[in-house]
Amino acid sequence: MVFFKRRLSARFLLRSLDYVRKDPDAHLLKIVDRVERHDRQKYYKGAYPALREICSDPTNNWNRMIHSVLSEVAPSFQEKFLTSFVLNSAFLWNEKKAKIEKKEGCNIPWTVLMDPTASCNLHCIGCWAAEYKKTSAMDYGLLDSIIEQGKKLGIHMYIYSGGEPLVRKDDLLKLADRHQDCYFLSFTNATLVDEAFAKESRRLGNIMLAISVEGFEEETDARRGKGTYRKVIEAMDLLKRNGVPFGFSTCYHSRNTEVVGSEKYIDFMVEKGCRFGWYFTYMPLGKDAQPDLLATPEQREFMYHRVREIRKTKPIFVMDFWNDGEYVGGCIAGGRNYLHINAAGDVEPCAFIHYSNANIHDVSLLEALKQPIFREYAAGQPFNKNQLRPCPLLDNPEKLRAMVKRSGAKSTQLLDEEDVDSLADKCEGAAKAWAKKSGEIWENRHKNA
């Protein structure tokens, strides 16, 4: 190996990758040492002991995952993950975030979640996007402008939701090609994935999919329509054959929690080629909401423990958008770590909080980050000392009521302008029940801290 500049760089990371590829078992530990030396501000100092433990144990689940990525994932993705994701959207974002926040007096998020379109080829039960006007869409120029504005703020991670983002797959690929210094993730039902999309994704290396699946065939088709599960599995097989990494996105609710948290389900997702998994819990948004789908406290506790077990034993990275609040200091919305821009351009604090004071057609991204509802979020976070209760709606509905009313934020649900009191009412019972159960878990976990 040659000597590198003190500052972590793309050149350093790519040469390190080439070095590791030659002999992973012998070279991984050496790379950890070198990366730590280049982490001048020690942003990730707590991670290095764990990384050394992983790299020195060939039976470790993360070690096995690293080896499978090196042997099965296309080189373009390996390279872009290191340069566009690790370097630009992690290390360099951390360096810029504090400086810009101090200057501008607002949160600067790690990622922007945006909906290219509200249109979808499915109609899933309980989908929050079902409350948006189906004809809403952001054109290519606006999406490109948001990314350009975000990069000036140090943001190099962009996530798509919808609607079904792959309705606009040609534009998404074009944006990934134009912004090679950024990393892109799209939540998708995967029914529009085809060979051409897989091959172009492989060439680009900086766009991945989080594929929505609700369990096995019975659970998935029950919410997403007959035949959807079969198309999902076909898409996974196609992506895996092309060396394109992907993950699963699963909503757990009262009727499928035990299935999607099972050993069988995770093992199958790993077998199909998933590298990561996002778990979300059901949120009762809009006129067609089904509060009976809310996970019980016992189910949420089950998922809390299961996600932690999976991370210790399986070669896949899984996260729980709610139950992992303790690792990120509570709620990450309102621009703290992310925000949501719907297809009509409304800039919302969260994909599940449909209230806003700003529209991206009228204001810049920076101006939107300074809107009243976002300032309310910044002032209120964390919303609970018990960070297993991070959400201002599902876990602390009184907090969302107050923030929306103080900020004057308006409902962005064009089909059903749901007032905040009606929305919060649907979560009151679940919040009270989870408060007791999560309090026991939190106290037990931190009693010796």
Side-chain angles (χ1 to χ4, degrees):
M1 294 276 294
V2 301
F3 291 97
F4 298 97
K5 294 179 181 178
R6 180 67 176 165
R7 182 179 178 81
L8 191 65
S9 67
R11 181 170 176 264
F12 165 81
L13 290 173
L14 292 176
R15 290 199 176 190
S16 298
L17 177 59
D18 285 340
Y19 181 66
V20 169
R21 284 168 174 161
K22 292 174 182 176
D23 190 344
D25 293 326
H27 295 164
L28 276 170
L29 277 170
K30 294 179 181 178
I31 292 302
V32 173
D33 292 339
R34 288 177 180 267
V35 171
E36 183 174 17
R37 288 201 297 271
H38 284 71
D39 182 9
R40 294 181 299 172
Q41 302 301 320
K42 305 303 178 187
Y43 290 123
Y44 303 99
K45 63 180 181 180
Y48 299 116
L51 286 172
R52 289 190 178 89
E53 181 179 347
I54 290 168
C55 294
S56 61
D57 180 5
T59 67
N60 182 279
N61 57 307
W62 296 107
N63 189 301
R64 288 185 284 128
M65 181 176 177
I66 291 170
H67 278 72
S68 70
V69 167
L70 290 172
S71 63
E72 298 171 10
V73 170
S76 58
F77 279 98
Q78 298 175 27
E79 292 157 10
K80 286 298 178 181
F81 181 80
L82 289 178
T83 57
S84 300
F85 183 83
V86 173
L87 178 61
N88 292 342
S89 72
F91 277 93
L92 298 186
W93 170 76
N94 248 324
E95 288 186 0
K96 294 184 83 170
K97 176 180 170 67
K99 294 177 183 177
I100 299 176
E101 286 182 338
K102 183 177 181 180
K103 176 185 176 183
E104 300 294 343
C106 65
N107 283 327
I108 300 297
W110 171 67
T111 187
V112 175
L113 171 67
M114 51 189 176
D115 303 347
T117 179
S119 178
C120 185
N121 58 329
L122 299 181
H123 186 76
C124 305
I125 296 172
C127 174
W128 54 261
E131 292 301 312
Y132 293 135
K133 190 175 180 180
K134 292 303 181 185
T135 56
S136 295
M138 290 191 281
D139 63 29
Y140 176 87
L142 181 56
L143 294 169
D144 182 57
S145 174
I146 293 168
I147 296 168
E148 289 286 3
Q149 292 179 61
K151 289 199 289 187
K152 291 178 181 177
L153 299 175
I155 305 167
H156 285 79
M157 181 70 199
Y158 295 89
I159 304 177
Y160 300 118
S161 57
E164 170 49 50
L166 294 194
V167 169
R168 300 277 303 281
K169 59 186 174 183
D170 290 342
D171 281 340
L172 302 193
L173 292 169
K174 186 177 175 182
L175 287 165
D177 197 12
R178 174 170 165 76
H179 299 281
Q180 283 282 296
D181 55 341
C182 295
Y183 211 78
F184 298 89
L185 174 72
S186 180
F187 289 101
T188 176
N189 61 43
T191 59
L192 300 178
V193 171
D194 56 21
E195 189 75 37
F197 178 85
K199 289 188 181 305
E200 183 64 0
S201 297
R202 178 188 176 101
R203 182 185 73 82
L204 294 170
N206 64 335
I207 181 167
M208 287 202 302
L209 303 182
I211 297 175
S212 297
V213 59
E214 308 294 325
F216 296 105
E217 186 167 18
E218 179 181 352
E219 296 81 20
T220 298
D221 286 2
R223 276 195 75 196
R224 298 182 172 272
K226 186 173 178 59
T228 303
Y229 179 78
R230 176 181 55 79
K231 293 179 180 178
V232 165
I233 298 306
E234 289 173 356
M236 288 183 173
D237 291 342
L238 175 59
L239 293 169
K240 185 178 181 181
R241 284 198 305 271
N242 280 275
V244 177
F246 59 91
F248 70 83
S249 172
T250 293
C251 173
Y252 64 91
H253 49 79
S254 60
R255 300 174 191 171
N256 75 339
T257 296
E258 291 72 22
V259 172
V260 300
S262 69
E263 196 94 351
K264 181 180 178 182
Y265 180 70
I266 289 297
D267 286 343
F268 185 65
M269 289 294 102
V270 171
E271 177 189 331
K272 299 313 293 180
C274 290
R275 304 293 172 179
F276 63 90
W278 285 83
Y279 281 112
F280 300 86
T281 193
Y282 176 75
M283 296 285 276
L285 304 179
K287 59 183 176 60
D288 293 328
Q290 297 185 13
D292 65 309
L293 285 177
L294 282 164
T296 67
E298 291 74 23
Q299 288 174 320
R300 194 161 164 184
E301 180 184 22
F302 167 76
M303 289 303 299
Y304 172 88
H305 293 300
R306 279 297 295 143
V307 165
R308 283 151 183 77
E309 290 169 6
I310 293 165
R311 285 199 287 251
K312 290 180 180 178
T313 59
K314 305 295 182 182
I316 183 173
F317 178 68
V318 296
M319 62 214 92
D320 185 321
F321 198 68
W322 276 265
N323 282 343
D324 279 337
E326 63 183 319
Y327 298 119
V328 291
C331 172
I332 64 172
R336 178 170 170 256
N337 277 63
Y338 100 107
L339 57 83
H340 178 235
I341 307 176
N342 70 25
D346 299 305
V347 185
E348 304 167 337
C350 176
F352 302 97
I353 305 297
H354 298 172
Y355 301 93
S356 177
N357 306 102
N359 190 288
I360 202 65
H361 290 96
D362 306 318
V363 301
S364 68
L365 180 59
L366 182 58
E367 289 170 329
L369 285 163
K370 297 180 180 181
Q371 64 174 292
I373 187 68
F374 278 46
R375 292 195 182 279
E376 289 288 341
Y377 262 73
Q381 290 163 325
F383 296 112
N384 201 298
K385 292 181 180 178
N386 176 353
Q387 291 176 3
L388 301 184
R389 297 173 60 195
C391 182
L393 172 58
L394 185 62
D395 304 318
N396 308 277
E398 73 284 356
K399 299 290 180 68
L400 185 67
R401 289 181 198 267
M403 290 193 298
V404 170
K405 292 177 180 180
R406 285 195 301 264
S407 69
K410 304 301 182 183
S411 173
T412 57
Q413 294 181 178
L414 297 182
L415 300 185
D416 173 28
E417 293 185 4
E418 188 170 32
D419 68 86
V420 70
D421 288 318
S422 298
L423 176 61
D425 285 348
K426 290 185 286 190
C427 294
E428 288 284 3
K432 290 179 181 178
W434 178 241
K436 183 177 185 300
K437 175 65 69 174
S438 66
E440 296 169 356
I441 301 170
W442 184 259
E443 182 179 353
N444 184 61
R445 185 170 175 83
H446 295 276
K447 63 184 177 182
N448 296 320

